Amino acid sequence: MKKIEINRQLEYIERVRQINEGKNYTYYILTMGCQLNENDSEKLCGMAEKMGYSKISDMNKADLIIFNTCCIRENAEDRLFGKLGEAKKVKENRNSIIAIGGCMMQEKNMIQKIHESYPFVDVIFGTHTLHNFPEDLYMAINTNKKLEDVLDIDGEVIEGLPIKREDKIKASVTIMNGCNNFCSYCIVPYVRGRERSREPKDIIYEIQDLAKQGYKEITLLGQNVNSYLRVENEKGIDYERYNGINSFATLLRVVNEIDGIERIRFISPHPKDFTDDVIEAIRDCDKVCKLVHLPLQSGSTDVLKSMNRRYTKDQYLNLVDKMKKNIPNLTLSTDIIVGFAGETDKDFEDTLDVVRKVNFEQVYMFIYSRRNGTPGDKMENQVPDKIKHERFDRLKALVEEQIEVKNKEYIGTIQKVLVEGTSKNNEKLYTGRTDSNKVVIFEGNEELIGKVIDIKIISEHMWYLKGAIVNG
Ligand code: 5AD
Ligand code: SF4
């Protein structure tokens, strides 16, 4: 099934390539949202380039315009509609093809809205049909008809699509699709479907291949990575065994053995599924970074219950304690939503309390955004915008205060830094990241790119550290 599907798309890639031959067509892609979407976009880029388009960053000059959308918060929609207005003008000038895909297209009523308000869009595809992009594009070019290819069911896990990666040192590898958790604020389970894992061997082959190409850092991606293969195990779904991989912990251990890879990261795990075997694997595997992203969402047990997170404040704090005790040099980052329905001042104080206690390395803060079709949207006691913003500002002030103190603690320490390239703001300086994912800027040379080197931290600047190479 999988194989046939891919061969068919490879044929369409070839057909579009022939149509485009000698025309020097270009494409522009806008990616919204999370790293999973970015990874999907790398596949879209891979397909587009094989079809004869070359990438440009100016939408006004593009023959193919692709929007890979996100719908996790409301502001993404406004952004898309603004961009569509601009794309319309480009189409009028150069007859470009406009394709929209991704999570937002899986939302109820969205397709209808696009048809009504943006009838010039040529291709609409969803999260489960990304791999059909060559065929959809071919049909749109050839028939001059609008193409709509969105499925409501959970798509297959498709292997073997071309991929054009953004970076040469760091690569993301999706290990599972979908989510079964249904946190009550979140739209992801509705637009990405049920949890399904890739087969172990496909993941390992992909990472081995990345290592051969010279990649040094791998980020394993999924909505809930630590339940990797759980659905398959529970349902008794047969998958090919590979080196004993049957869980997230065993996957980490096998990836850790791949020569050439220096660092392994993963996002995001769910605290409720953070089993001891995963803690032990992080502790034992030298390449697994000791920065763990552990989404808190709220520090209040009552809010966590109405969010359907299935852990309490104490359970979260106990888990953090256990992890800190077992994993030397552990640092943590997190996601927090402020102003979820029913959140009282006291609930919010609980969130601040957890932030104070855990002392996160980094906190990604979000104001609750009501999503149509989720239980959270229907809850009473929605928090007024003004209070949401006030709480957000208080949380932000606390986090920044903590980060400043933490940054100061880096000064004088020697950090292992994976060198990524020259600094964006100053070509003469080089940049890399610590194990804890802090950006470090330093004087270096080209030969260091892709190497992990010792750097002594000299000063801190809120969002980055400055350092000097330690010789010898
Ligand atoms: N409103 C605000 N933030 C949200 N997130 C998910 N859904 C919403 C929402 N409706 C946040 C969560 C999640 C991160 C990726 O986005 O914190 O971990
Ligand atoms: Fe959304 Fe919760 Fe699933 Fe994460 S675990 S994708 S927050 S439903």
Side-chain angles (χ1 to χ4, degrees):
M1 163 70 190
K2 281 185 209 162
K3 193 113 199 152
I4 296 166
E5 195 59 51
I6 278 306
N7 284 344
R8 190 180 148 92
Q9 295 310 319
L10 294 178
E11 272 170 35
Y12 278 106
I13 286 179
E14 180 54 23
R15 286 194 205 178
V16 179
R17 195 194 64 74
Q18 283 174 12
I19 296 172
N20 289 347
E21 191 133 35
K23 296 195 180 126
N24 290 328
Y25 278 158
T26 56
Y27 77 101
Y28 163 87
I29 184 163
L30 174 73
T31 308
M32 299 171 170
C34 65
Q35 290 198 39
L36 278 148
N37 254 17
E38 279 170 21
N39 193 238
D40 280 350
S41 281
E42 290 182 330
K43 292 171 190 153
L44 288 164
C45 292
M47 293 187 265
E49 301 205 358
K50 286 245 169 350
M51 288 187 280
Y53 296 93
S54 44
K55 191 171 178 177
I56 52 167
S57 53
D58 180 0
M59 183 170 79
N60 295 311
K61 297 193 180 118
D63 302 295
L64 169 65
I65 298 174
I66 309 171
F67 296 115
N68 189 11
T69 64
C70 163
C71 58
I72 200 143
R73 284 171 291 273
E74 196 177 358
N75 47 14
E77 276 161 34
D78 302 337
R79 187 157 169 235
L80 174 72
F81 298 146
K83 278 279 170 191
L84 275 173
E86 288 174 42
K88 184 177 181 217
K89 293 199 194 92
V90 184
K91 190 180 174 85
E92 282 161 4
N93 282 337
R94 40 187 318 135
N95 203 20
S96 318
I97 293 177
I98 301 178
I100 313 185
C103 296
M104 213 189 282
M105 298 308 111
Q106 300 285 148
E107 270 187 289
K108 255 198 263 159
N109 306 329
M110 183 52 75
I111 294 183
Q112 201 187 335
K113 173 149 192 180
I114 303 258
H115 282 319
E116 283 167 7
S117 309
Y118 307 93
F120 52 87
V121 170
D122 300 285
V123 178
I124 300 177
F125 58 96
T127 53
H128 307 301
T129 48
L130 176 112
H131 57 284
N132 289 347
F133 184 59
E135 182 174 353
D136 294 344
L137 189 64
Y138 175 83
M139 293 300 178
I141 295 171
N142 239 19
T143 60
N144 232 343
K145 276 198 198 132
K146 302 201 174 314
L147 220 119
E148 189 186 304
D149 186 9
V150 179
L151 281 179
D152 240 352
I153 53 156
D154 304 333
E156 297 262 331
V157 178
I158 306 285
E159 299 292 343
L161 282 181
I163 182 159
K164 167 84 192 321
R165 296 187 181 270
E166 278 294 308
D167 200 284
K168 300 263 175 284
I169 309 287
K170 301 193 287 185
S172 301
V173 174
T174 300
I175 63 166
M176 59 195 303
N177 296 315
C179 181
N180 284 357
N181 287 321
F182 290 93
C183 302
S184 60
Y185 51 81
C186 186
I187 198 156
V188 168
Y190 306 90
V191 297
R192 288 254 171 199
R194 295 292 63 72
E195 231 169 84
R196 51 219 184 271
S197 297
R198 285 178 71 194
E199 291 211 3
K201 72 165 184 2
D202 293 325
I203 297 172
I204 299 299
Y205 290 164
E206 183 175 346
I207 300 175
Q208 284 170 340
D209 186 50
L210 287 165
K212 268 194 218 121
Q213 293 175 47
Y215 283 90
K216 302 292 172 199
E217 182 175 308
I218 298 297
T219 301
L220 305 173
L221 296 179
Q223 302 296 350
N224 186 8
V225 285
N226 48 356
S227 61
Y228 174 66
L229 285 179
R230 194 179 47 201
V231 170
E232 286 72 11
N233 288 335
E234 277 171 9
K235 286 192 185 156
I237 294 174
D238 204 22
Y239 55 87
E240 209 176 304
R241 306 285 140 163
Y242 186 97
N243 273 3
I245 299 173
N246 61 1
S247 63
F248 184 59
T250 47
L251 176 69
L252 280 181
R253 287 182 188 273
V254 175
V255 176
N256 195 60
E257 297 304 315
I258 298 178
D259 283 343
I261 298 300
E262 303 265 4
R263 280 185 174 171
I264 304 161
R265 301 184 188 276
F266 54 88
I267 43 172
S268 288
H270 194 303
K272 79 174 163 57
D273 299 316
F274 222 105
T275 42
D276 290 350
D277 59 339
V278 178
I279 297 178
E280 286 154 17
I282 300 169
R283 179 197 63 201
D284 297 345
C285 295
D286 57 330
K287 295 176 184 173
V288 174
C289 292
K290 304 310 179 225
L291 167 73
V292 175
H293 186 69
L294 193 66
L296 168 67
Q297 312 300 3
S298 167
S300 150
T301 295
D302 288 343
V303 174
L304 286 168
K305 190 161 196 314
S306 68
M307 283 178 162
N308 192 30
R309 290 291 290 175
R310 286 174 274 175
Y311 53 85
T312 63
K313 175 184 180 184
D314 283 345
Q315 281 170 333
Y316 185 93
L317 287 172
N318 289 340
L319 172 63
V320 167
D321 267 353
K322 182 158 70 172
M323 289 168 71
K324 283 185 175 169
K325 274 197 194 103
N326 283 284
I327 308 170
N329 301 320
L330 178 84
T331 56
L332 290 156
S333 61
T334 200
D335 290 345
I336 293 177
I337 299 176
V338 298
F340 184 62
E343 184 188 77
T344 62
D345 280 340
K346 192 184 156 297
D347 292 323
F348 179 63
E349 289 301 329
D350 274 331
T351 298
L352 296 179
D353 186 44
V354 176
V355 171
R356 274 188 210 106
K357 285 189 169 126
V358 179
N359 203 359
F360 294 102
E361 194 71 23
Q362 201 168 0
V363 180
Y364 299 89
M365 294 165 268
F366 306 103
I367 288 177
Y368 172 54
S369 169
R370 292 169 73 170
R371 305 284 63 211
N372 198 359
T374 61
D377 186 38
K378 297 185 199 84
M379 288 179 188
E380 286 167 15
N381 308 325
Q382 296 290 335
V383 175
D385 274 354
K386 186 165 166 283
I387 295 182
K388 284 183 185 170
H389 282 96
E390 279 167 14
R391 288 182 186 160
F392 183 87
D393 291 345
R394 276 187 66 197
L395 175 63
K396 186 162 168 269
L398 170 62
V399 167
E400 285 180 358
E401 205 179 288
Q402 285 183 320
I403 289 182
E404 214 178 305
V405 175
K406 278 186 156 280
N407 281 354
K408 290 214 167 77
E409 287 167 6
Y410 275 92
I411 297 176
T413 63
I414 292 173
Q415 298 288 323
K416 296 241 170 278
V417 170
L418 172 59
V419 184
E420 291 174 11
T422 51
S423 160
K424 273 199 191 103
N425 302 326
N426 183 347
E427 289 270 307
K428 287 195 194 110
L429 294 177
Y430 282 75
T431 175
R433 282 177 190 259
T434 63
D435 180 285
S436 58
N437 216 24
K438 283 260 180 234
V439 174
V440 181
I441 312 275
F442 55 94
E443 276 178 33
N445 60 63
E446 211 172 318
E447 277 163 35
L448 297 174
I449 296 174
K451 298 210 165 82
V452 176
I453 57 171
D454 283 340
I455 292 206
K456 185 166 184 178
I457 306 302
I458 297 166
S459 61
E460 56 91 15
H461 305 259
M462 196 70 191
W463 303 119
Y464 67 96
L465 305 170
K466 262 194 176 160
I469 297 173
V470 179
N471 289 312

